[in-house]
Amino acid sequence: MAVSERSAGLGLVVIDLSLILLVFCVALAASGWRGFGAQFLTLLQLSTFIGWKLLFGLYPGHGLARAQRMQKVVLATAAAVVTSLGIVEIVRWILDDPDLRLVFWPVLLAGVVLGIGEPVARRLMMRLGRWQQPVFIFGGGDAAASVVRQLAFYPHLGLRAVCIVDEGSIYITDDYQGIPVIRFRELGEHAALLNITTTAIIVEQSVERSFILRLYTTGIFEKVLLVPNCHDLISLGSIVRPVGGMLAIQAGSERPSPLSAWVKRSVDKIGSGAALVILSPLFALILAMVRADSPGPAIFSQPRWAGADQQFTAMKFRTMYTDGERRLRRHFLNDPEAEQEYARFRKLDNDPRVTKIGRFLRATSLDELPQLINVWRGEMSLVGPRPYTMDEVGKLGPATDMLSIVRPGITGFWQVSGRNQRTFRERIEMDCYYVRNHSIWFDLWILYRTVIAVIAREGK
């Protein structure tokens, strides 16, 4: 179900207002305020959260990458907290009322509640079918189909393809994956959708320049997004710059700056060291459980690719029987479809090689905890591309050079984005996306999603 951009934004505002009123009621019940001044001041403070999120474009914030959205939410919340506390200080100074300091804590509570509630609100909107706005795609063939797949791949963007307008192909199909494919002159037949649509996406390589200019000048859409031929070279760090009377896209460098590389390594060193100390009792418990569950060593070591012609030994808690390959071959003989599934995803839903405790460790991703030692050594990072096995390197193709730029990670973009439903090719694409767009905000979002995945046992 597609809704207008304004409707999605209004839905988020309503949810935030409900949370603000909840915080206000808690503050009122806990503090027992009777004065109208304190109550009004509290509501005024809490309303600043709505104002700052509006200024940061978070209602609804369609089209934002998840790292971008996380950055904006954190900054808007921080700005609202500072503004609210500033209002209290000014009013307290004017009225010379020390009791007004009591309204400090509701602001901090609201910051926590709205910060945590933001992704929950979007997920609720998605489940109710009130999040995605309709988008018309202009272009044909594989290029337009690729845009449709990307929008379906990233539903959090809030953009849903509802119609493909193809003027370049001689013959066009009636639909693509249930999405109608039409000519420009047939747009009037979709007036109901056009009335709630504000965004169009133009695939440059499959649309003539004269048609692009025509679409810009008609004013049918408030926003027109142009997908250039070099889209796979552009990152979130790219900027548009003037070149005389023309515009050019300055692609962001895929290689991290010395400062960002130093910060990332420092975070890895401190984070892995602290985790190894804090989780040492859990390590000991899992070691004992693995040894008791099946014969063999508790730690499984395997050579993994480290970029170029380098490799390192990655460590994990053993989750498979020591004769796992023999069990797998026997399973393929009895179930040929499982062999096809394994060839496509490099994983099996019911892998006969996995032990009982191994299933639990994989579901919670606890089997990867020993890789904290790899991070401490500098062989891996907390966040990065998947550590590919040596036999998978030959399948990376052109992505090999890009994935050599950064260290592999314990967790990464594809691991927290439906890891079990992604094909091997999709995993490579997502790892390349991470390298092109890596930032501290992207890493923070991935770490946040990793915690959610562990709690929800999304692994296999």
Side-chain angles (χ1 to χ4, degrees), residues 103 124 220 262 301 398 409:
V103 300
L124 176 62
I220 299 176
W262 178 83
S301 300

Side-chain angles (χ1 to χ4, degrees), residues 158-177:
L159 307 176
R160 178 185 176 189
V162 294
C163 190
I164 299 174
V165 183
D166 185 1
E167 284 293 294
S169 304
I170 298 176
Y171 302 104
I172 62 173
T173 59
D174 292 332
D175 65 84
Y176 172 77
Q177 293 187 356

Side-chain angles (χ1 to χ4, degrees), residues 232-300:
D232 55 341
L233 301 177
I234 299 173
S235 67
L236 296 176
S238 301
I239 57 176
V240 176
R241 302 189 60 174
V243 180
M246 301 181 295
L247 293 177
I249 299 175
Q250 177 180 317
S253 174
E254 294 167 353
R255 295 189 176 276
S257 66
L259 178 59
S260 62
W262 178 83
V263 170
K264 186 175 179 66
R265 180 60 192 141
S266 298
V267 171
D268 286 341
K269 193 78 171 179
I270 296 171
S272 60
L276 285 170
V277 173
I278 295 172
L279 298 177
S280 55
L282 180 60
F283 268 71
L285 175 62
I286 295 177
L287 284 170
M289 293 172 65
V290 172
R291 288 198 179 104
D293 184 52
S294 62
I299 298 293
F300 172 75

Side-chain angles (χ1 to χ4, degrees), residues 16 19-20 49 53 73 77 109-119:
D16 281 354
L19 293 175
I20 286 174
F49 286 91
K53 292 185 72 172
V73 169
T77 302
L109 177 61
V112 173
V113 170
L114 290 177
I116 296 176
E118 201 279 336

Side-chain angles (χ1 to χ4, degrees), residues 69-86:
R69 189 172 192 97
M70 182 179 188
Q71 179 186 26
K72 286 179 176 290
V73 169
V74 171
L75 293 178
T77 302
V81 169
V82 172
T83 302
S84 299
L85 297 182

